[in-house]
Amino acid sequence: MTSEEVKIRIYNFYKKTTLGGLSDWVAGHGHIKAKDEIYRDSSKYDHLDELGKNCLAFGTNSNTEYPDGERLRIHNEFQSKQFKDLTNLDLDTLYFPKVCGFNGDEYGEFIIPPAAYRLGYYMSHMKKFCDKNDKQKKLIVEIGGGWGGLCNLALNNIPNANYVIVDTPTTIPTLAYFLHKCGKRICLPNEYEEFNDSLFSNYDCVMMLPEQLRLVTECDYLASTACLPELNWEIIDYYVGEIKRILPKRFYVDFTHRCNGKYLSDKLNELSEVGYEKILHQQTPINCYVPWVKAPEWEKEAEEIEERIYEINRESTKGK
Protein backbone atom coordinates (compact mmCIF):
# COMPACT_ATOMS: atom_id res chain seq x y z
CA MET A 1 0.00 0.00 0.00
CA THR A 2 1.36 3.44 -0.91
CA SER A 3 1.88 6.27 1.56
CA GLU A 4 -0.81 8.33 -0.15
CA GLU A 5 -3.32 5.51 0.31
CA VAL A 6 -2.41 5.31 4.00
CA LYS A 7 -2.94 9.06 4.36
CA ILE A 8 -6.42 8.65 2.87
CA ARG A 9 -7.16 5.86 5.35
CA ILE A 10 -5.99 8.07 8.23
CA TYR A 11 -8.13 10.96 7.03
CA ASN A 12 -11.19 8.70 6.69
CA PHE A 13 -10.61 7.55 10.25
CA TYR A 14 -10.10 11.00 11.71
CA LYS A 15 -12.96 12.83 10.04
CA LYS A 16 -15.41 10.50 11.84
CA THR A 17 -13.90 10.98 15.31
CA THR A 18 -14.87 13.41 18.02
CA LEU A 19 -12.86 14.56 21.00
CA GLY A 20 -14.19 14.33 24.53
CA GLY A 21 -14.91 11.56 27.01
CA LEU A 22 -12.09 9.04 27.18
CA SER A 23 -10.36 10.78 24.27
CA ASP A 24 -10.14 14.04 26.24
CA TRP A 25 -7.17 12.64 28.12
CA VAL A 26 -5.89 15.84 29.70
CA ALA A 27 -7.38 19.30 29.54
CA GLY A 28 -4.15 21.28 29.72
CA HIS A 29 -2.54 20.22 26.46
CA GLY A 30 -3.14 23.02 23.97
CA HIS A 31 -1.45 21.09 21.16
CA ILE A 32 -4.45 18.73 20.99
CA LYS A 33 -6.51 21.48 19.37
CA ALA A 34 -3.72 22.25 16.92
CA LYS A 35 -3.43 18.57 15.93
CA ASP A 36 -7.21 18.32 15.58
CA GLU A 37 -7.23 21.20 13.09
CA ILE A 38 -4.45 19.54 11.06
CA TYR A 39 -6.03 16.12 10.84
CA ARG A 40 -9.43 17.45 9.80
CA ASP A 41 -7.83 19.03 6.74
CA SER A 42 -6.52 16.42 4.28
CA SER A 43 -4.43 19.05 2.46
CA LYS A 44 -2.15 19.29 5.51
CA TYR A 45 -1.21 15.62 5.66
CA ASP A 46 2.12 16.16 3.94
CA HIS A 47 3.48 17.21 7.34
CA LEU A 48 3.51 13.52 8.28
CA ASP A 49 6.47 13.00 5.96
CA GLU A 50 8.42 15.49 8.09
CA LEU A 51 7.17 14.10 11.37
CA GLY A 52 10.65 13.84 12.86
CA LYS A 53 11.30 17.54 12.36
CA ASN A 54 8.33 18.95 14.20
CA CYS A 55 6.87 18.98 17.68
CA LEU A 56 4.77 15.88 17.07
CA ALA A 57 7.97 13.85 17.49
CA PHE A 58 9.56 15.89 20.26
CA GLY A 59 12.28 14.02 22.12
CA THR A 60 13.01 11.46 19.44
CA ASN A 61 15.51 13.19 17.18
CA SER A 62 17.57 15.48 19.28
CA ASN A 63 18.03 16.48 22.85
CA THR A 64 17.11 19.89 24.17
CA GLU A 65 19.95 19.64 26.67
CA TYR A 66 22.58 18.67 24.09
CA PRO A 67 21.59 20.37 20.84
CA ASP A 68 24.86 20.10 18.94
CA GLY A 69 26.38 16.99 17.41
CA GLU A 70 29.33 16.53 19.77
CA ARG A 71 27.28 16.68 22.96
CA LEU A 72 24.70 14.31 21.49
CA ARG A 73 27.44 11.93 20.34
CA ILE A 74 28.90 11.73 23.85
CA HIS A 75 25.49 11.13 25.38
CA ASN A 76 24.50 8.44 22.88
CA GLU A 77 27.83 6.70 23.36
CA PHE A 78 27.01 6.50 27.06
CA GLN A 79 23.49 5.22 26.40
CA SER A 80 24.63 2.56 23.95
CA LYS A 81 27.01 1.15 26.57
CA GLN A 82 24.21 1.12 29.14
CA PHE A 83 21.86 -0.61 26.73
CA LYS A 84 24.27 -3.42 25.89
CA ASP A 85 25.26 -3.98 29.52
CA LEU A 86 21.70 -3.98 30.85
CA THR A 87 20.01 -6.05 28.14
CA ASN A 88 22.72 -8.26 26.58
CA LEU A 89 21.26 -7.28 23.21
CA ASP A 90 23.19 -5.90 20.25
CA LEU A 91 22.63 -2.45 18.82
CA ASP A 92 21.18 -3.99 15.66
CA THR A 93 17.98 -4.56 17.68
CA LEU A 94 17.49 -0.77 17.84
CA TYR A 95 17.52 0.27 14.20
CA PHE A 96 14.93 2.47 12.52
CA PRO A 97 14.65 3.23 8.80
CA LYS A 98 15.49 6.73 7.62
CA VAL A 99 11.91 7.96 7.25
CA CYS A 100 9.75 10.95 8.20
CA GLY A 101 12.73 13.24 8.73
CA PHE A 102 14.06 11.32 11.71
CA ASN A 103 17.71 11.62 12.67
CA GLY A 104 20.01 9.52 14.80
CA ASP A 105 23.31 7.71 14.90
CA GLU A 106 24.12 6.17 11.53
CA TYR A 107 23.86 2.37 11.63
CA GLY A 108 24.49 1.04 8.15
CA GLU A 109 21.52 2.04 6.02
CA PHE A 110 19.49 2.66 9.19
CA ILE A 111 19.62 5.04 12.17
CA ILE A 112 19.34 4.75 15.94
CA PRO A 113 17.41 7.79 17.27
CA PRO A 114 18.34 8.94 20.81
CA ALA A 115 15.08 7.62 22.29
CA ALA A 116 15.73 4.13 20.88
CA TYR A 117 18.08 3.18 23.73
CA ARG A 118 15.41 3.74 26.35
CA LEU A 119 12.66 2.13 24.28
CA GLY A 120 14.98 -0.77 23.52
CA TYR A 121 15.39 -1.35 27.24
CA TYR A 122 11.61 -1.62 27.56
CA MET A 123 11.48 -3.91 24.54
CA SER A 124 14.08 -6.22 26.10
CA HIS A 125 11.64 -7.00 28.93
CA MET A 126 8.89 -7.78 26.45
CA LYS A 127 11.27 -10.02 24.52
CA LYS A 128 12.36 -11.94 27.62
CA PHE A 129 8.75 -12.53 28.59
CA CYS A 130 7.69 -13.70 25.12
CA ASP A 131 10.81 -15.84 24.63
CA LYS A 132 10.61 -17.65 27.95
CA ASN A 133 6.97 -18.50 27.40
CA ASP A 134 6.17 -20.83 24.51
CA LYS A 135 6.45 -19.65 20.92
CA GLN A 136 2.70 -19.27 20.49
CA LYS A 137 1.55 -15.79 19.60
CA LYS A 138 1.44 -13.36 22.51
CA LEU A 139 -0.90 -10.40 22.61
CA ILE A 140 0.89 -7.22 23.72
CA VAL A 141 -1.25 -4.18 24.56
CA GLU A 142 0.42 -0.78 24.82
CA ILE A 143 -1.57 2.04 26.42
CA GLY A 144 -0.28 5.25 24.86
CA GLY A 145 1.74 4.47 21.75
CA GLY A 146 3.47 7.85 21.42
CA TRP A 147 5.18 8.04 18.03
CA GLY A 148 5.28 4.25 17.53
CA GLY A 149 8.88 3.68 18.57
CA LEU A 150 8.33 0.89 21.10
CA CYS A 151 5.91 -0.92 18.78
CA ASN A 152 8.41 -0.81 15.91
CA LEU A 153 11.20 -2.27 18.07
CA ALA A 154 8.91 -4.97 19.49
CA LEU A 155 7.68 -6.10 16.08
CA ASN A 156 11.26 -6.12 14.75
CA ASN A 157 12.54 -8.32 17.57
CA ILE A 158 9.65 -10.44 18.86
CA PRO A 159 8.38 -12.72 16.09
CA ASN A 160 5.57 -14.18 18.22
CA ALA A 161 4.01 -10.80 19.10
CA ASN A 162 0.58 -9.54 18.11
CA TYR A 163 0.54 -5.84 18.97
CA VAL A 164 -2.29 -3.50 19.98
CA ILE A 165 -1.87 0.23 20.61
CA VAL A 166 -4.55 2.12 22.53
CA ASP A 167 -4.41 5.89 22.08
CA THR A 168 -6.38 9.04 21.44
CA PRO A 169 -7.56 10.28 18.02
CA THR A 170 -4.96 13.07 17.83
CA THR A 171 -2.05 10.65 18.38
CA ILE A 172 -3.07 7.71 16.20
CA PRO A 173 -2.42 9.46 12.82
CA THR A 174 1.18 10.18 13.81
CA LEU A 175 2.10 6.72 15.02
CA ALA A 176 0.07 4.97 12.30
CA TYR A 177 1.89 6.78 9.51
CA PHE A 178 5.29 6.31 11.11
CA LEU A 179 4.73 2.57 11.57
CA HIS A 180 3.58 2.32 7.95
CA LYS A 181 6.82 3.98 6.83
CA CYS A 182 8.70 1.44 8.96
CA GLY A 183 7.10 -1.30 6.87
CA LYS A 184 4.41 -2.35 9.36
CA ARG A 185 0.87 -3.24 8.30
CA ILE A 186 -1.43 -1.07 10.37
CA CYS A 187 -5.14 -1.41 11.13
CA LEU A 188 -6.96 1.77 12.14
CA PRO A 189 -9.75 1.92 14.77
CA ASN A 190 -12.51 2.39 12.19
CA GLU A 191 -11.45 -0.59 10.06
CA TYR A 192 -12.88 -3.40 12.18
CA GLU A 193 -15.93 -4.05 14.35
CA GLU A 194 -14.82 -7.18 16.21
CA PHE A 195 -11.39 -7.82 17.65
CA ASN A 196 -9.93 -11.31 17.34
CA ASP A 197 -6.74 -13.12 16.32
CA SER A 198 -7.75 -13.23 12.67
CA LEU A 199 -7.00 -9.51 12.35
CA PHE A 200 -3.29 -10.28 12.72
CA SER A 201 -3.25 -12.43 9.59
CA ASN A 202 -3.50 -9.15 7.66
CA TYR A 203 -2.00 -6.63 10.08
CA ASP A 204 1.05 -6.31 12.33
CA CYS A 205 -0.46 -3.70 14.64
CA VAL A 206 -4.10 -3.02 15.49
CA MET A 207 -4.96 0.44 16.83
CA MET A 208 -7.77 1.22 19.23
CA LEU A 209 -9.40 4.27 20.71
CA PRO A 210 -9.60 4.10 24.52
CA GLU A 211 -13.23 2.94 24.57
CA GLN A 212 -12.38 0.08 22.17
CA LEU A 213 -10.13 -1.57 24.78
CA ARG A 214 -13.37 -3.21 25.94
CA LEU A 215 -13.14 -5.41 22.83
CA VAL A 216 -10.05 -7.17 24.25
CA THR A 217 -10.98 -10.11 26.47
CA GLU A 218 -7.47 -11.02 27.60
CA CYS A 219 -3.84 -10.21 26.80
CA ASP A 220 -0.44 -11.59 27.74
CA TYR A 221 1.57 -8.43 28.35
CA LEU A 222 0.65 -4.82 28.98
CA ALA A 223 2.95 -1.81 28.77
CA SER A 224 2.56 1.93 29.24
CA THR A 225 5.47 4.28 28.64
CA ALA A 226 4.89 7.40 30.71
CA CYS A 227 1.29 7.73 29.54
CA LEU A 228 -0.68 7.17 32.74
CA PRO A 229 0.71 10.16 34.70
CA GLU A 230 -0.63 12.50 32.01
CA LEU A 231 -4.23 11.37 32.40
CA ASN A 232 -6.99 12.75 34.54
CA TRP A 233 -8.31 10.62 37.42
CA GLU A 234 -11.46 9.49 35.64
CA ILE A 235 -9.46 8.02 32.76
CA ILE A 236 -6.90 6.49 35.12
CA ASP A 237 -9.79 4.70 36.85
CA TYR A 238 -10.99 3.43 33.48
CA TYR A 239 -7.61 2.04 32.48
CA VAL A 240 -6.90 0.44 35.85
CA GLY A 241 -10.31 -1.28 35.68
CA GLU A 242 -9.55 -2.53 32.17
CA ILE A 243 -6.10 -3.76 33.23
CA LYS A 244 -7.70 -5.83 35.98
CA ARG A 245 -10.19 -7.23 33.50
CA ILE A 246 -7.86 -8.24 30.67
CA LEU A 247 -4.94 -9.34 32.86
CA PRO A 248 -6.57 -11.55 35.52
CA LYS A 249 -3.75 -12.65 37.83
CA ARG A 250 -1.28 -12.29 35.02
CA PHE A 251 1.38 -9.75 34.23
CA TYR A 252 1.34 -5.99 34.57
CA VAL A 253 4.17 -3.66 33.67
CA ASP A 254 4.24 0.08 34.17
CA PHE A 255 7.18 1.66 32.40
CA THR A 256 6.58 5.22 33.49
CA HIS A 257 9.40 7.30 34.92
CA ARG A 258 7.17 10.21 35.90
CA CYS A 259 4.83 8.56 38.38
CA ASN A 260 4.78 11.25 41.08
CA GLY A 261 1.07 11.63 41.67
CA LYS A 262 -0.26 9.95 44.81
CA TYR A 263 -3.55 9.07 43.13
CA LEU A 264 -1.87 7.11 40.35
CA SER A 265 0.61 5.52 42.76
CA ASP A 266 -2.27 4.31 44.93
CA LYS A 267 -4.04 2.86 41.90
CA LEU A 268 -0.92 1.00 40.78
CA ASN A 269 -0.46 -0.31 44.31
CA GLU A 270 -3.99 -1.72 44.09
CA LEU A 271 -2.79 -3.84 41.19
CA SER A 272 0.14 -5.10 43.23
CA GLU A 273 -2.14 -6.10 46.08
CA VAL A 274 -4.20 -8.36 43.84
CA GLY A 275 -1.22 -10.21 42.43
CA TYR A 276 0.12 -8.21 39.50
CA GLU A 277 3.83 -7.94 38.92
CA LYS A 278 5.12 -4.41 38.50
CA ILE A 279 8.42 -3.70 36.79
CA LEU A 280 10.17 -0.35 36.35
CA HIS A 281 7.62 1.60 38.34
CA GLN A 282 10.34 4.20 38.81
CA GLN A 283 13.00 6.05 36.87
CA THR A 284 14.27 3.91 34.01
CA PRO A 285 18.02 3.18 33.94
CA ILE A 286 18.29 4.60 30.43
CA ASN A 287 16.94 8.10 29.93
CA CYS A 288 16.95 9.91 26.58
CA TYR A 289 17.06 13.37 28.16
CA VAL A 290 19.77 13.42 30.85
CA PRO A 291 22.60 11.01 31.71
CA TRP A 292 21.21 10.29 35.15
CA VAL A 293 20.79 6.72 36.38
CA LYS A 294 19.78 5.11 39.65
CA ALA A 295 22.02 2.07 39.31
CA PRO A 296 25.08 2.66 41.58
CA GLU A 297 27.48 1.10 39.09
CA TRP A 298 26.64 3.88 36.63
CA GLU A 299 26.85 6.88 38.96
CA LYS A 300 30.57 7.55 38.51
CA GLU A 301 30.40 7.33 34.72
CA ALA A 302 27.28 9.51 34.66
CA GLU A 303 29.17 12.18 36.61
CA GLU A 304 32.08 11.95 34.15
CA ILE A 305 29.69 12.35 31.21
CA GLU A 306 28.15 15.43 32.82
CA GLU A 307 31.63 16.91 33.41
CA ARG A 308 32.60 16.35 29.76
CA ILE A 309 29.38 17.98 28.56
CA TYR A 310 29.92 20.89 30.98
CA GLU A 311 33.38 21.47 29.49
CA ILE A 312 31.93 21.48 25.98
CA ASN A 313 29.30 23.99 27.08
CA ARG A 314 31.94 26.19 28.72
CA GLU A 315 34.19 26.15 25.65
CA SER A 316 31.33 26.83 23.25
CA THR A 317 30.16 29.89 25.20
CA LYS A 318 33.63 31.35 25.85
CA GLY A 319 33.83 34.93 24.66
CA LYS A 320 30.09 35.30 24.18
Side-chain angles (χ1 to χ4, degrees), residues 1-15 45 176 180 184-191 203 205:
M1 180 168 288
T2 68
S3 295
E4 291 307 310
E5 289 172 327
V6 170
K7 288 178 183 177
I8 292 172
R9 288 171 59 198
I10 292 172
Y11 175 69
N12 287 336
F13 151 68
Y14 200 85
K15 70 181 182 181
Y45 274 47
H180 156 70
K184 306 302 185 286
R185 300 171 302 166
I186 53 110
C187 182
L188 295 168
N190 65 316
E191 295 177 333
Y203 301 106
C205 176

Side-chain angles (χ1 to χ4, degrees), residues 173-185:
T174 302
L175 62 90
Y177 190 74
F178 175 73
L179 288 171
H180 156 70
K181 297 296 284 187
C182 289
K184 306 302 185 286
R185 300 171 302 166

Side-chain angles (χ1 to χ4, degrees), residues 284-300:
T284 57
I286 301 178
N287 190 312
C288 66
Y289 297 108
V290 293
W292 178 91
V293 291
K294 292 191 71 174
E297 63 268 26
W298 287 103
E299 288 179 359
K300 185 175 185 300

Side-chain angles (χ1 to χ4, degrees), residues 116-289:
Y117 301 104
R118 177 174 55 89
L119 296 176
Y121 180 67
Y122 303 155
M123 177 274 294
S124 71
H125 284 275
M126 290 181 177
K127 182 172 174 58
K128 288 176 184 176
F129 174 78
C130 292
D131 286 352
K132 74 180 180 181
N133 291 277
D134 57 61
K135 297 300 181 181
Q136 291 183 351
K137 287 290 186 178
K138 301 296 179 185
L139 180 61
I140 297 174
V141 174
E142 182 182 4
I143 297 176
W147 51 283
L150 180 57
C151 177
N152 181 60
L153 291 180
L155 291 174
N156 285 349
N157 293 284
I158 308 172
N160 59 329
N162 288 336
Y163 211 97
V164 169
I165 292 179
V166 182
D167 219 318
T168 56
T170 52
T171 303
I172 284 175
T174 302
L175 62 90
Y177 190 74
F178 175 73
L179 288 171
H180 156 70
K181 297 296 284 187
C182 289
K184 306 302 185 286
R185 300 171 302 166
I186 53 110
C187 182
L188 295 168
N190 65 316
E191 295 177 333
Y192 61 93
E193 293 183 0
E194 296 182 358
F195 175 81
N196 51 55
D197 291 344
S198 64
L199 280 172
F200 294 100
S201 61
N202 298 312
Y203 301 106
D204 301 308
C205 176
V206 175
M207 299 178 190
M208 294 183 168
L209 295 172
E211 57 270 22
Q212 288 177 294
L213 185 54
R214 299 186 179 105
L215 298 175
V216 178
T217 57
E218 188 175 23
C219 75
D220 298 289
Y221 195 100
L222 186 139
S224 181
T225 59
C227 166
L228 296 180
E230 299 177 336
L231 306 177
N232 63 46
W233 288 6
E234 179 184 357
I235 301 177
I236 289 174
D237 285 345
Y238 168 74
Y239 278 128
V240 170
E242 289 299 287
I243 290 168
K244 290 179 178 179
R245 181 182 63 79
I246 65 177
L247 284 169
K249 296 182 181 178
R250 280 175 175 259
F251 194 88
Y252 171 71
V253 180
D254 176 52
F255 283 140
T256 179
H257 61 275
R258 290 186 287 156
C259 184
N260 298 316
K262 185 178 185 302
Y263 188 82
L264 177 55
S265 294
D266 289 345
K267 285 293 178 181
L268 296 179
N269 287 335
E270 285 181 20
L271 295 175
S272 296
E273 291 167 4
V274 295
Y276 293 90
E277 182 177 351
K278 282 195 298 182
I279 294 180
L280 304 179
H281 178 200
Q282 299 200 14
Q283 174 74 42
T284 57
I286 301 178
N287 190 312
C288 66
Y289 297 108

